[in-house]
């Protein structure tokens, strides 16, 4: 079943100990779509500026990504730049130029209005709400990402939006900030009261947790000897996770666990090279091979 | 098969947001023995002072722990005190009084001299070497723990000792410090050149990794809502891990994975209460129930 994603397409400037890119295509919706399109048909809603090149747009072509919802506005694309620390665990933001993204007001094309799976990438909670109002029927699964900026600046809007969300996909520090609770299990219980019935907590090199009312599922990160650039890994994780769920049309515990594994797989490929380069040339068979590798490195028998 | 452990018995002063203990029995050998004795017979070698009470000694009785090697010396027991941060992730050492431990020179009782499984808890590397010289035949498995103090102060002694070690059981920051390498996979490869053929990397709330020449195995931490005191969790992990291996007499990949799970189980019980209290009243059936719980929260099927 098709999957609607609303989020950013950006140009990123990235410095890591492994190299430097002044201007490479990025943005949550880019990483999400590239990852999810291996599993299902993706409907993309976002805005780009006049500087968005035909060459960059091509990365969405020849995939199961519908770009009808790709709006073009006067001005420049969202630009973001950062520098990663030696071990890639910390980063300094060097620039955030919203440009056309500042006035983004997502419009859902009529043909996307019956979307059954919706991912609201990290944008203003009021815009995330606006997207849901444009979707005709209650989707099967609405998932949402957010960040410290919205948790701090627009807590009321975020609380209102969360009432209509099934799965919150955020990182551990955001989980703690949103719930005002250090312990992640207690944090999840707080967040369940806000609306979501499940929380996916991304922990970078430590893997990810799925917490829902039936319990906890832990998946390790895929161990890599030479990660190059963590940019977009969380968005690609969300793409693998939601893409898998939309593709299989199930939301059983077994399906959610597999979705966590495919999220992990997509995040792990993303960090191997700068920007979305590794995702762009990724083959579906590589995804399944890595999923089997994660199976091997996490499974055991007690007897 | 019986398991020899050489390490410390101490009195600990512990402050955490959950309470305060001025003087509670601790030390690596204490936690290790209590944990390992659920799986196998433990031979304990350590030193205590004149202040070591009969009541505290009783915690070793009625278990599969042989205290023939418990040496009594003039002076006081090793004393260590610390204060944990609000989220238990950081701690400040408030006191380290070596006392009788300063002159500890482990003597292995003759009846322990054919030990097949040996755990060298965190003491001076030269003493760890001394223990190995007293063991008659090459044991099946020698495992060793160490810490930043020895990595910095006695690197040559540590390197010499590591040549005779099969499994190094340390935490992630020690792994990085010893190898001078941030990435844990690359760090493990460096350490393999020093002697060990396997490394168990303890990562606290993020679980543990086993890295050996056949690959990586990841086990998540058991999620707890209210950990009270992390003291001794790493030693109890080592006790569960080595205890399981000695108890089953195998060192297959499947056995090593189960050992990782039982290590995790023992660490998780340890942190539930102050000092070794939870370990002291732990029932073997609780251990197996928690191992099954870890199985449930980490296992998945790809199809």
């Amino acid at each position: 079943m098709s999957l609607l994603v609303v989020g950013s397409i950006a140009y990123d400037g990235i410095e890591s100990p492994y190299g430097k890119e002044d201007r490479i295509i990025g943005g949550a919706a880019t990483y999400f779509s590239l990852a999810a399109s291996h599993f299902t048909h993706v409907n993309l809603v976002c805005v780009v500026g006049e500087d968005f090149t035909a060459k960059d747009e091509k990365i969405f072509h020849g995939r199961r990504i519908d770009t009808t919802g790709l709006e073009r506005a006067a001005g420049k694309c969202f630009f973001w730049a950062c520098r990663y620390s030696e071990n890639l665990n910390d980063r300094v933001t060097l620039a955030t130029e919203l440009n056309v993204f500042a006035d983004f007001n997502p419009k859902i094309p009529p043909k996307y209005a019956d979307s059954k799976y919706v991912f609201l990438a990290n944008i203003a909670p009021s815009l995330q709400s606006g997207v849901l109002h444009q979707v005709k029927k209650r989707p099967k699964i609405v998932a949402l990402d957010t960040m410290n900026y919205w948790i701090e600046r627009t807590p009321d809007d975020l609380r209102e939006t969360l009432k209509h969300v099934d799965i919150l996909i955020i990182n551990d520090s955001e989980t703690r900030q949103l719930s005002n609770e250090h312990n992640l299990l207690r944090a999840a219980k707080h967040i369940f009261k806000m609306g979501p019935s499940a929380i996916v907590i991304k922990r970078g090199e430590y893997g990810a947790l799925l917490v829902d009312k039936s319990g906890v599922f832990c998946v390790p990160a895929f161990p890599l000897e030479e990660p190059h650039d963590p940019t977009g890994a969380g968005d690609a994780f969300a793409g693998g996770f939601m893409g898998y769920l939309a593709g299989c049309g199930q939301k059983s515990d077994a399906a959610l666990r597999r979705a966590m594994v495919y999220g992990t797989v997509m995040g792990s490929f993303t960090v191997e090279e700068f920007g979305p380069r590794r995702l762009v040339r990724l083959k579906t068979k590589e995804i399944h091979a890595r999923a089997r590798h994660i199976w091997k490195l996490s499974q055991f028998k007690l007897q």
Side-chain angles (χ1 to χ4, degrees), chain A residues 4-8 29 43 45-46 104 106 108 118-123 131:
Chain A
L4 170 65
V5 55
V6 182
S8 60
N43 294 326
V45 171
C46 57
F104 181 39
I108 308 303
V118 176
F119 182 67
L120 305 166
N122 172 31
I123 55 174
V131 169

Side-chain angles (χ1 to χ4, degrees), chain A residues 170-217:
Chain A
I170 56 180
N171 70 32
D172 44 3
S173 67
E174 291 155 357
T175 305
R176 289 172 171 133
Q177 192 179 15
L178 177 61
S179 62
N180 203 16
E181 174 65 69
H182 182 80
N183 182 282
L184 295 176
L185 288 189
R186 290 204 302 263
K189 287 187 179 175
H190 276 286
I191 293 170
F192 292 154
K193 291 180 195 156
M194 300 177 193
S197 56
I199 305 172
V200 173
I201 305 171
K202 298 171 289 182
R203 304 204 281 182
E205 66 169 312
Y206 301 113
L209 295 181
L210 168 69
V211 190
D212 60 18
K213 282 154 190 171
S214 76
V216 180
F217 172 64

Side-chain angles (χ1 to χ4, degrees), chain A residues 38-172:
Chain A
H38 283 277
F39 302 95
T40 197
H41 187 94
V42 179
N43 294 326
L44 177 62
V45 171
C46 57
V47 64
V48 293
E50 294 153 317
D51 56 343
F52 190 60
T53 67
K55 189 183 161 203
D56 282 324
E57 191 177 340
K58 265 194 184 162
I59 72 166
F60 299 115
H61 298 165
R63 304 175 190 273
R64 289 187 284 174
I65 302 177
D66 185 310
T67 54
T68 309
L70 195 155
E71 180 188 333
R72 286 163 190 286
K76 286 182 160 187
C77 282
F78 182 18
F79 178 78
W80 175 80
C82 86
R83 186 190 299 127
Y84 289 97
S85 65
E86 196 59 37
N87 59 31
L88 303 179
N89 279 351
D90 302 301
R91 73 181 178 201
V92 182
T93 298
L94 304 174
T96 306
E97 300 166 13
L98 288 177
N99 301 325
V100 296
F101 211 67
D103 299 316
F104 181 39
N105 194 356
K107 284 176 284 297
I108 308 303
K111 68 174 179 173
Y112 297 177
D114 60 349
S115 296
K116 296 280 175 282
Y117 293 82
V118 176
F119 182 67
L120 305 166
N122 172 31
I123 55 174
S126 58
L127 300 183
Q128 293 173 320
S129 272
V131 169
L132 290 183
H133 287 133
Q134 296 174 61
V135 176
K136 273 190 260 170
K137 279 191 187 167
R138 177 74 173 84
K140 285 196 174 183
I141 298 182
V142 175
L144 176 146
D145 186 13
T146 192
M147 69 185 292
N148 56 351
Y149 185 91
W150 310 114
I151 297 171
E152 289 158 21
R153 308 286 179 95
T154 61
D156 295 340
D157 287 354
L158 181 57
R159 287 297 188 104
E160 181 53 39
T161 309
L162 282 175
K163 288 178 187 168
H164 309 285
V165 167
D166 302 296
I167 306 180
L168 181 64
I169 304 180
I170 56 180
N171 70 32
D172 44 3

